[in-house]
Amino acid sequence: MNTITIVLALAAIVVISIVVIVISQMREKAKIERVRKITALEDSYKRCNRLLSELPGQYLTPDLKLLLLRRMEDVCNDLAGLKSGLPVEQWRESLLKRKNLVRENRDDVKPVKIDSAEKSSYVKELLQNLFKMIEAMHKSGRIDGTTAKKNLKYVLFLVHKTHADLHVFQARDHIRQNQIRKAIHSYHLASTEMGKSRDNPLAMKAVKSFRTRIKELEAMNMGGDGSTFAESQSNMDKQWDTFLHDEEWKKKADYDD
């Protein structure tokens, strides 16, 4: 073999080696990227499932439930395309059953009382995650602007409701301990929280109720009729505890205004 042939042969070997290395690296990167996508999608599915199971039942409207289930279905579709090895088909069957229950109004989720600062903070964290998920679905084109706006406004309302729940619980506790001034202050805080959702008719209804309660407490503190107050307090407690189940309001409410 002459010198030129040897040089060309060596060059060919070098080129082939480089090509093999590049292809190997590309395959490794693709493998890593696939694992990363699968992990991210699995985490997304688990986050949605956590929201469905851990948000207070009174917060989860059918629209929110269907939105979460829709996101979980999208995740399953993406995972199926990646051949992840996860039980995607089982998840799909479970989602279909849950969706049917929601549409038939048979999907009951247990209500949760917001009776401590810890619960309030935890529920707020869940709601923030839900808010981010809805935003991401909108940005990716999975839901339209009207649907996103409607649900984002409702989630913000729920954040305010969570804070108000805690203040109402504290007010009730103050009343039991005959700490009327502290109870009045707690109701003022609850009213302020609900006032942040001025475009929500139910929030404004709550503000009006709190103002009435404050006036009653002030009158009681000045030596008013305690029996009348006790009856009024009982009625308000019942109204607040069923606050998100006001059928008359649900027929009138329109978040798109």
Side-chain angles (χ1 to χ4, degrees):
M1 297 177 64
N2 58 39
T3 304
I4 294 176
T5 303
I6 295 172
V7 171
L8 290 174
L10 291 173
I13 292 172
V14 171
V15 171
I16 292 171
S17 299
I18 292 173
V19 170
V20 169
I21 292 172
V22 169
I23 292 174
S24 177
Q25 289 179 338
M26 289 176 63
R27 285 180 176 176
E28 187 63 25
K29 286 182 180 179
K31 182 179 178 181
I32 293 172
E33 180 63 15
R34 176 176 171 276
V35 172
R36 187 196 66 77
K37 286 182 178 179
I38 290 173
T39 301
L41 288 168
E42 184 181 9
D43 288 344
S44 180
Y45 183 93
K46 289 180 178 178
R47 281 196 301 272
C48 291
N49 197 42
R50 178 188 172 202
L51 292 172
L52 272 174
S53 60
E54 297 185 21
L55 273 171
Q58 67 271 26
Y59 285 14
L60 287 169
T61 62
D63 281 349
L64 282 179
K65 289 178 183 178
L66 291 173
L67 201 62
L68 285 164
L69 291 170
R70 179 176 174 179
R71 174 57 188 149
M72 293 166 82
E73 285 182 330
D74 288 342
V75 168
C76 287
N77 292 335
D78 291 342
L79 285 171
L82 293 170
K83 299 179 180 179
S84 64
L86 293 168
V88 174
E89 289 306 316
Q90 292 180 21
W91 290 352
R92 278 176 169 166
E93 290 177 10
S94 178
L95 293 174
L96 180 59
K97 291 178 182 178
R98 185 75 182 269
K99 186 186 291 185
N100 289 334
L101 288 175
V102 173
R103 287 173 173 168
E104 295 168 4
N105 200 29
R106 295 190 296 116
D107 183 57
D108 295 326
V109 183
K110 185 178 179 181
V112 177
K113 282 190 176 182
I114 312 298
D115 54 8
S116 70
E118 291 75 16
K119 279 187 181 180
S120 179
S121 296
Y122 182 64
V123 172
K124 181 181 177 182
E125 177 190 337
L126 293 176
L127 291 171
Q128 287 172 337
N129 289 336
L130 178 58
F131 191 93
K132 291 176 182 177
M133 186 207 78
I134 296 171
E135 278 189 322
M137 290 181 73
H138 180 224
K139 289 178 181 178
S140 65
R142 295 181 186 273
I143 57 175
D144 58 48
T146 301
T147 301
K149 179 183 176 182
K150 172 184 174 182
N151 286 283
L152 288 173
K153 287 176 71 174
Y154 183 67
V155 172
L156 282 177
F157 160 71
L158 291 179
V159 171
H160 302 148
K161 168 73 166 58
T162 298
H163 290 300
D165 268 328
L166 178 59
H167 294 313
V168 169
F169 175 80
Q170 291 170 336
R172 292 177 182 178
D173 192 49
H174 291 320
I175 290 170
R176 283 193 291 269
Q177 299 178 47
N178 202 32
Q179 298 174 332
I180 306 304
R181 296 310 307 174
K182 289 184 178 180
I184 291 172
H185 179 64
S186 292
Y187 277 125
H188 270 301
L189 293 175
S191 179
T192 299
E193 282 299 327
M194 296 311 296
K196 294 176 181 178
S197 290
R198 293 187 178 277
D199 57 349
N200 186 306
L202 189 55
M204 292 300 95
K205 179 180 177 181
V207 169
K208 183 178 179 180
S209 179
F210 290 142
R211 288 173 179 170
T212 301
R213 173 61 55 232
I214 289 168
K215 289 179 180 178
E216 291 174 347
L217 284 169
E218 288 173 341
M220 179 184 176
N221 204 37
M222 296 296 291
D225 187 350
S227 60
T228 301
F229 167 79
E231 181 180 354
S232 178
Q233 175 68 28
S234 176
N235 289 334
M236 182 189 173
D237 286 348
K238 291 177 182 177
Q239 289 173 2
W240 182 253
D241 290 339
T242 58
F243 185 67
L244 294 179
H245 304 286
D246 189 326
E247 293 301 325
E248 181 180 355
W249 170 81
K250 285 180 181 179
K251 292 176 182 177
K252 297 179 181 179
D254 183 4
Y255 291 111
D256 298 325
D257 288 345

